[in-house]
Amino acid sequence: MTFFILLSIVLFFLGAGLVYRFQDIARKSRFFEKDQDTWAKKIFDLNIKGFFLNTLFQIKLFKAGKLRWLAHFLVILGFVYLLIVHAMDGVTSGFFSWYQPGIAPFRFLRNLAGLGVGLGCVLFLLRRLPRFRTNRERVKRKKGDRFRGTASILLILALIVSGFLLEASRIISEPRFDEMVEEYSGLDEDSGQMDLEAFWVKNYHLVLKEDLSSKSIDYENAASLNQEYCLDCHDRPDEAFISTPLALGAKPFGNWLARFRVDNVFYWLHYVIGLLLLAFLPFSRMFHLIAIPVASTRKRIRPQSLKKNMGLLDLFSLTACTNCGFCSEVCNVYPNFQVTGNGEILPHLKIETVKTMAKKGLWDARTVARLRSGNDDCTRCGRCADICPSGIDLIRLWESADHLMTSLGCPDNYTQVLGTSFEQWTRQDLFPKDFGNSSLTSGLADQVAAFENCVQCTICTNSCPVVAHDLNQNDLGPHQVMNLLRLGEKHMATGSRMVWHCLTCYSCQELCPQGIRVTDILLELRTQGQKTAGQIKLSQLTNQGSDK
Amino acid sequence: MRLAYFPGCKITFFLKEYGRAVEAVMAALGVTLVELPFNCCGNPSRGKNFEVSIFSAIKNLALARKYGLDIMTPCKCCFGQLKHGVYWYETRKDLRVKIDRLLAQEGLFYSSSHESDRQPSSIKHLLSFLYHDIGIDTLEDKITRPLESDKTVLQQGCHALRPFCVTGFDNPFAPQIFKALVNITGLDVIDWSKETECCGSPVAHDHGDLALKILNNKAQTANREGAVYICTACTHCQLQYQGEEAGHILSKNGLLAVSYPFVLGEALGIPLEKLRLG
C-alpha cells in the first residue's frame, strides 16, 4: 500500500516534471518560433526511419564511438527488459498467462539483463577515469555536467546492485519464506510446513534458525507439497546466476540477516532508488532518453530548405544534447579556436549559449558578441550534425542562431560596418585595441613600402568586378583605397565598402604594374575593420543591455 | 596512387553529389582517396583573422605530411588557400614560430627541420592532378563515351589562378589546363570574356544583390556566345551557379551549370547513378 502511494506520488512528480520541461521549452521556443504554419507542418513532417535507427539501434552513436555504443546498448537493452518484464510484472503477467517472474527462463533473463546494465554502467564509469581518456578528447566539458552524468550512472548502478542483493537476501530469508507459505499454501506445523522447509533448505538454499537435521523429514511429502503450492511460479533459484552465488556467500550470516529483515531493507532500497530515478528523469542527464527520440524524429534540413527554415529555433532538440563533445572533436574550424581562444566557436559550447540566449535574450553582451563571432566562423560543413549521436540537426541550429542574433540586434560584422555612420566609425575611442590575440606583425597596410609606389593609374579599379557591377553602391575604387593609405587614413579605409565587398579575385593585384599587393592589402584592412566592428557592436550591445 | 582527399566544407553538406562524382572518377582512374581528419582550409577566415587562415592551411598540410600523402582538393578556393598558407608561412617568420608551436602541441610538424626525411606534401587541385599526374593523353585514352560537342564556357575559379606567384596553377588570364581537360571529353569549349572573372560566391552571403548582378551578367554574355553549359571545377562556383535563384537565371538564358568531375565521369562511361549516388 505504502508502495502504491509512493509510486503515485513519484509518477505525479514525473508527469509534472515532463509537462514542466515541455512547457518550459515550448514557452521559450515561442519567443522565437512565430510561424504557426511551420508548427503544423512539423507535426506531420516526421523522420520515422531516423527515429527507429537512432532510438532503437543508436546507429549514430555506433558510428561515432563503438565502446560508448556498446555501453549504451547494454544499458538500454537490459533496462527496457527489466522495466517491462520485471518492474511492471503485474501488468506483464496479466497479459501473458505463461509469464511468471520466478520460473525458467525468466530468472535467468532477469539476471542477464541486470548484468548487462551493470556492465554498461561500469564501462561508462571506466571511460570517465582520466587513465582511460583517449588523447583525441581535446575538448573540455563543463564540470557540473560531468557530475550530473556520473550521478545518474551511479544511481542506475545502485539500482542494479540493490536488485541483486534483494534477490540474494530473499533466497535465504526464512521470514520471507514464512510469508510466502502463509500467503500461497496455508500450511501449518501439522500439515507439513516443516517438511517443506527442510525441502527448501536442501534444494532452494533457504537458511533456517532451528536445526532440522535431527528431525525426521518426509521428503516425498515435501516434494509433492512443493509441486502443489510452489512450483507453478517458483523454480530452483540456481538459474539466477548472480544472485544465487551471492546468496550462497551470505549463507553463514543468514540468521542475522533474517533477524533484522535485511531483505526488506534491500527491498525498500531498491524501490526508493527506482522511484528516485523516475522522479528526477525530467531534470537529470537522463532526460536525453526522451529528448533524443524526439530530436531524431525531426526531418533533417537539406541545403535547399536551409533558407526557408532558418527562422525556426528547435529548442526541443537542443535538450537532447548530452554534452558528449563529438561535434567539437570533428569541428572544421577548430583551428580558429586554437588561435583565438574563443570557446563559442566549438559546437558543444555554442549549444549551451544558444539555449541560454533563447531564454534570456541578450543577457550578456560580451558572451553574445563572442557567440556571434564564433557562429560566423562556422562554415556549415555539417560534420557536427553528421556525427551528433543525439541526432540534433545542428546546421539548422547554427543557421537559426544567426537569425536569432540578428533579430535581437547583434548582426554580423559586415552588417555592422554598413550600418555604422562615418562619424561613428572614425571616432578616436573606437580605434582598434586588439582584443584577444594581437596580430603578430605589422601588416602590409602599415608598411609604407607596400603601397607608396602606387601611381594612381586605376588599372586595378578598371579590372575590378565590384566596381563594374556595383556602381551605385560601391564607394571607392581600389586605387582610392591605396590613396587613403598614402594619406595615412588607414582607419578610414577599413570602413570602406570596397574593402568589405572585395571578391578577393586578385585581378587588381595580378595586373598592378607597380607590383602592389592590392588584394592582400584590402583583405588585411578588412581583418582590422572586423575588430572595430566588433568593438562598436559590443558597445552598442552593452548600452542596449543597460537601457533595459 | 594514394592521395589525401581534401573535400573542403561545401561538399560535406551542400554539394554531396559533387563529392560523389569526384570519388567515382578517382575510383575509375585507380586512385585511392584517403580521408584524413582535415579541418577548414582557412579561406573563410582570410578576411577575418589572418593568423587563423594561415594556421588552418598549414595544419592540414602538416597532417597530410604526417601520413606522407599529397593533398588533392576539388575546390579552387581550398587549393588557393593552401598555397597561400605556404607562402605566408614561409614569408613571415614570427608567424611561422607561432604556428610551429601550436602544431607541436598536437604532435604535428610542417617545417623541414623535423622529420627531415619526409618531403612536405604537395598541393594539387583536381584539374592539375588530372593534367600533370594522370596525364592528358592517358586520360584521353580512357574516354569511352565522348559527349556531344555542345558549346561550353568555363568558369575558371579565381583563387587557383591568382596571384600566380603564389598559386602557380596556370596562366592567370589565359588558362589552358581546364580547356584541354574539357575538350577531351567531347564538349566544345568556346572563348568567353568572363571566363576568369569571379563567380560572385564570396559576397553571396553578405551582398546578395552584387552576386546576382554578376551572375546575370555572366549568364547573358555566355548566352550571347551561344553556350549551353557552364563548366565549373570549384565547389564554391558550382554552388553559386546551382542555387535556386541562380538556376532560374541560367535556365532563362538556356544554360546549365555542370561540374567537371561530373562531365568527366560521364565521358569515362561511369553510370549516372554511380555519379549521383556514389
Side-chain angles (χ1 to χ4, degrees):
Chain A
M1 192 60 200
T2 340
F3 170 69
F4 276 107
I5 294 169
L6 272 178
L7 180 67
S8 16
I9 292 172
V10 164
L11 281 179
F12 176 76
F13 200 61
L14 170 74
L18 284 178
V19 168
Y20 171 77
R21 274 307 283 261
F22 274 85
Q23 269 211 336
D24 193 38
I25 290 156
R27 185 163 47 76
K28 285 177 210 155
S29 302
R30 228 173 285 138
F31 172 74
F32 192 56
E33 294 185 4
K34 287 168 188 143
D35 201 344
Q36 291 297 318
D37 295 345
T38 35
W39 260 112
K41 210 177 128 205
K42 229 163 69 177
I43 294 168
F44 299 106
D45 206 11
L46 296 178
N47 179 2
I48 303 296
K49 193 178 149 209
F51 167 78
F52 277 109
L53 287 179
N54 203 31
T55 308
L56 295 184
F57 304 106
Q58 303 164 49
I59 197 141
K60 299 201 81 171
L61 184 61
F62 182 73
K63 283 179 194 155
K66 304 284 185 285
L67 196 66
R68 277 196 212 204
W69 175 82
L70 182 69
H72 276 88
F73 202 67
L74 284 175
V75 170
I76 294 284
L77 203 68
F79 211 92
V80 167
Y81 176 84
L82 289 173
L83 187 73
I84 294 174
V85 178
H86 169 59
M88 309 198 304
D89 57 1
V91 182
T92 317
S93 54
F95 277 114
F96 306 102
S97 53
W98 40 264
Y99 169 74
Q100 283 298 334
I103 58 168
F106 299 108
R107 287 200 113 158
F108 170 75
L109 286 176
R110 188 164 74 191
N111 272 249
L112 190 66
L115 180 70
V117 177
L119 270 181
C121 286
V122 170
L123 276 178
F124 278 137
L125 290 175
L126 278 181
R127 224 184 44 75
R128 279 161 186 262
L129 294 176
R131 180 187 303 201
F132 294 102
R133 295 242 150 131
T134 50
N135 293 330
R136 224 173 75 84
E137 282 189 29
R138 53 188 186 180
V139 174
K140 284 206 178 77
R141 268 165 258 164
K142 277 186 302 182
K143 271 223 170 100
D145 213 80
R146 290 217 2 230
F147 167 75
R148 280 187 352 160
T150 315
S152 295
I153 298 168
L154 286 176
L155 217 53
I156 297 177
L157 198 59
L159 183 70
I160 297 302
V161 171
S162 65
F164 280 130
L165 290 175
L166 168 63
E167 193 178 19
S169 61
R170 274 191 168 175
I171 289 173
I172 53 172
S173 167
E174 185 185 1
R176 179 68 191 155
F177 175 79
D178 291 342
E179 281 169 20
M180 299 275 283
V181 166
E182 197 178 331
E183 191 177 338
Y184 292 104
S185 70
L187 289 175
D188 52 26
E189 297 288 330
D190 309 325
S191 51
Q193 189 190 5
M194 204 171 65
D195 291 342
L196 193 60
E197 274 177 354
F199 185 84
W200 273 62
V201 169
K202 197 175 157 208
N203 295 315
Y204 285 59
H205 314 303
L206 186 68
V207 177
L208 286 185
K209 246 190 326 237
E210 55 180 322
D211 193 8
L212 292 180
S213 54
S214 56
K215 307 214 164 130
S216 66
I217 304 296
D218 182 357
Y219 278 108
E220 257 173 51
N221 180 36
S224 68
L225 283 175
N226 189 46
Q227 178 87 32
E228 188 179 347
Y229 294 115
C230 312
L231 217 53
D232 278 348
C233 50
H234 221 301
D235 269 352
R236 277 170 59 94
D238 293 358
E239 283 191 15
F241 59 93
I242 291 178
S243 306
T244 310
L246 271 178
L248 293 177
K251 248 183 162 174
F253 319 102
N255 285 326
W256 183 82
L257 290 172
R259 179 143 46 102
F260 293 103
R261 288 311 302 267
V262 174
D263 56 328
N264 274 357
V265 174
F266 285 136
Y267 173 84
W268 284 111
L269 193 65
H270 189 60
Y271 274 106
V272 167
I273 293 174
L275 293 177
L276 271 180
L277 269 173
L278 208 57
F280 286 113
L281 180 90
F283 303 100
S284 69
R285 182 72 173 272
M286 306 230 287
F287 186 64
H288 75 271
L289 280 177
I290 293 164
I292 287 180
V294 175
S296 303
T297 316
R298 298 217 42 193
K299 265 257 161 63
R300 314 282 293 179
I301 204 157
R302 284 172 304 133
Q304 294 83 5
S305 55
L306 196 59
K307 279 248 149 48
K308 251 180 275 165
N309 279 301
M310 69 183 177
L312 284 169
L313 186 61
D314 182 19
L315 268 165
F316 197 86
S317 294
L318 286 195
T319 53
C321 173
T322 59
N323 213 11
C324 68
F326 275 123
C327 47
S328 296
E329 278 167 32
V330 298
C331 181
N332 207 9
V333 289
Y334 186 78
N336 299 39
F337 164 70
Q338 283 181 289
V339 175
T340 63
N342 178 8
E344 304 299 335
I345 287 169
L346 301 178
H348 78 292
L349 295 177
K350 274 203 288 185
I351 291 179
E352 283 300 309
T353 319
V354 172
K355 252 195 275 188
T356 321
M357 185 177 65
K359 198 156 118 196
K360 300 185 190 165
L362 302 175
W363 85 105
D364 178 41
R366 208 157 255 282
T367 314
V368 175
R370 281 157 65 89
L371 177 67
R372 180 81 229 195
S373 170
N375 210 31
D376 285 342
D377 278 359
C378 169
T379 64
R380 308 285 189 270
C381 68
R383 297 205 310 211
C384 50
D386 283 344
I387 203 164
C388 177
S390 302
I392 307 174
D393 200 350
L394 287 166
I395 289 207
R396 184 202 294 266
L397 173 66
W398 310 141
E399 202 66 23
S400 53
D402 263 0
H403 196 72
L404 174 60
M405 281 186 278
T406 309
S407 67
L408 287 172
C410 178
D412 58 9
N413 284 349
Y414 170 83
T415 319
Q416 184 70 47
V417 174
L418 264 72
T420 305
S421 67
F422 179 74
E423 288 74 29
Q424 202 184 351
W425 186 265
T426 43
R427 258 166 56 193
Q428 287 294 322
D429 57 321
L430 285 172
F431 269 43
K433 287 165 270 159
D434 293 337
F435 51 77
N437 287 51
S438 62
S439 77
L440 284 158
T441 18
S442 57
L444 294 166
D446 297 309
Q447 299 165 16
V448 179
F451 52 80
E452 67 173 354
N453 286 338
C454 176
V455 292
Q456 298 286 300
C457 68
T458 70
I459 287 179
C460 50
T461 303
N462 283 321
S463 73
C464 179
V466 179
V467 176
H469 295 292
D470 208 22
L471 265 180
N472 303 328
Q473 289 190 52
N474 197 31
D475 46 7
L476 305 174
H479 77 283
Q480 288 165 312
V481 176
M482 293 305 117
N483 208 24
L484 270 185
L485 291 182
R486 297 204 304 181
L487 293 168
E489 292 288 356
K490 180 181 138 192
H491 185 65
M492 198 190 287
T494 57
S496 152
R497 287 181 179 223
M498 181 68 239
V499 165
W500 288 85
H501 286 163
C502 172
L503 293 159
T504 70
C505 73
Y506 281 89
S507 292
C508 48
Q509 181 166 329
E510 198 71 43
L511 289 169
C512 179
Q514 294 291 85
I516 294 170
R517 312 188 69 106
V518 188
T519 317
D520 284 336
I521 291 177
L522 289 178
L523 274 173
E524 191 185 296
L525 290 173
R526 197 191 292 180
T527 59
Q528 306 201 345
Q530 303 266 13
K531 287 175 190 158
T532 317
Q535 279 192 336
I536 293 178
K537 195 189 320 179
L538 191 58
S539 69
Q540 278 179 356
L541 286 174
T542 318
N543 292 337
Q544 204 179 328
S546 57
D547 283 350
K548 271 179 197 166
Chain B
M1 195 182 287
R2 279 159 59 84
L3 282 173
Y5 176 47
F6 191 94
C9 58
K10 293 299 166 206
I11 281 177
T12 44
F13 177 65
F14 287 98
L15 272 179
K16 287 188 171 144
E17 67 278 7
Y18 192 114
R20 282 175 198 132
V22 173
E23 283 162 25
V25 165
M26 286 298 146
L29 295 174
V31 178
T32 314
L33 296 179
V34 182
E35 296 206 15
L36 298 180
F38 285 127
N39 48 260
C40 174
C41 66
N43 184 56
S45 305
R46 209 137 133 194
K48 200 172 178 195
N49 189 322
F50 180 71
E51 281 170 44
V52 166
S53 73
I54 305 303
F55 173 62
S56 303
I58 295 297
K59 194 174 166 191
N60 289 320
L61 291 168
L63 188 68
R65 181 194 168 128
K66 187 175 162 189
Y67 289 88
L69 295 168
D70 291 342
I71 286 192
M72 195 278 289
T73 171
C75 173
K76 293 218 169 168
C77 296
C78 295
F79 174 82
Q81 178 59 26
L82 294 175
K83 288 279 193 182
H84 257 271
V86 175
Y87 176 83
W88 288 110
Y89 176 84
E90 280 166 2
T91 315
R92 291 202 173 164
K93 197 178 165 223
D94 42 2
L95 183 62
R96 187 161 70 220
V97 171
K98 183 172 180 184
I99 287 178
D100 281 345
R101 202 184 62 230
L102 280 170
L103 286 178
Q105 285 172 5
E106 293 181 81
L108 293 171
F109 303 100
Y110 178 73
S111 58
S112 42
S113 52
H114 301 277
E115 304 174 359
S116 50
D117 53 318
R118 228 176 253 175
Q119 287 293 310
S121 307
S122 64
I123 305 155
K124 299 170 198 291
H125 182 259
L126 174 70
L127 297 184
S128 59
F129 172 72
L130 291 173
Y131 192 85
H132 299 296
D133 298 61
I134 298 283
I136 187 115
D137 298 327
T138 325
L139 199 60
E140 198 168 4
D141 291 342
K142 292 200 176 181
I143 284 176
T144 53
R145 206 171 57 189
L147 307 172
E148 285 182 31
S149 61
D150 291 320
K151 286 187 177 174
T152 306
V153 291
L154 305 178
Q155 172 62 47
Q156 286 286 347
C158 310
H159 287 139
L161 290 178
R162 293 180 294 263
F164 179 71
C165 63
V166 171
T167 62
F169 180 73
D170 200 352
N171 185 325
F173 289 106
Q176 295 304 314
I177 292 178
F178 196 4
K179 194 176 177 180
L181 283 169
V182 176
N183 271 333
I184 58 167
T185 63
L187 290 175
D188 177 24
V189 178
I190 56 173
D191 288 336
W192 182 33
S193 54
K194 304 290 173 188
E195 189 174 323
T196 60
E197 197 183 272
C198 175
C199 62
S201 164
V203 291
H205 182 257
D206 288 341
H207 192 10
D209 287 349
L210 174 57
L212 279 184
K213 273 185 214 165
I214 291 175
L215 200 89
N216 253 316
N217 178 270
K218 290 222 162 205
Q220 282 160 12
T221 47
N223 184 28
R224 219 176 295 148
E225 305 283 352
V228 183
Y229 293 120
I230 296 183
C231 191
T232 65
C234 166
T235 52
H236 284 85
C237 298
Q238 179 65 25
L239 199 58
Q240 183 64 8
Y241 282 122
Q242 72 174 44
E244 204 175 328
E245 239 166 315
H248 280 303
I249 294 171
L250 287 192
S251 62
K252 220 165 49 190
N253 286 290
L255 285 162
L256 185 68
V258 288
S259 66
Y260 182 67
F262 199 80
V263 170
L264 180 64
E266 238 180 76
L268 287 173
I270 301 168
L272 265 182
E273 313 85 67
K274 214 173 167 187
L275 282 176
R276 288 223 176 90
L277 306 168

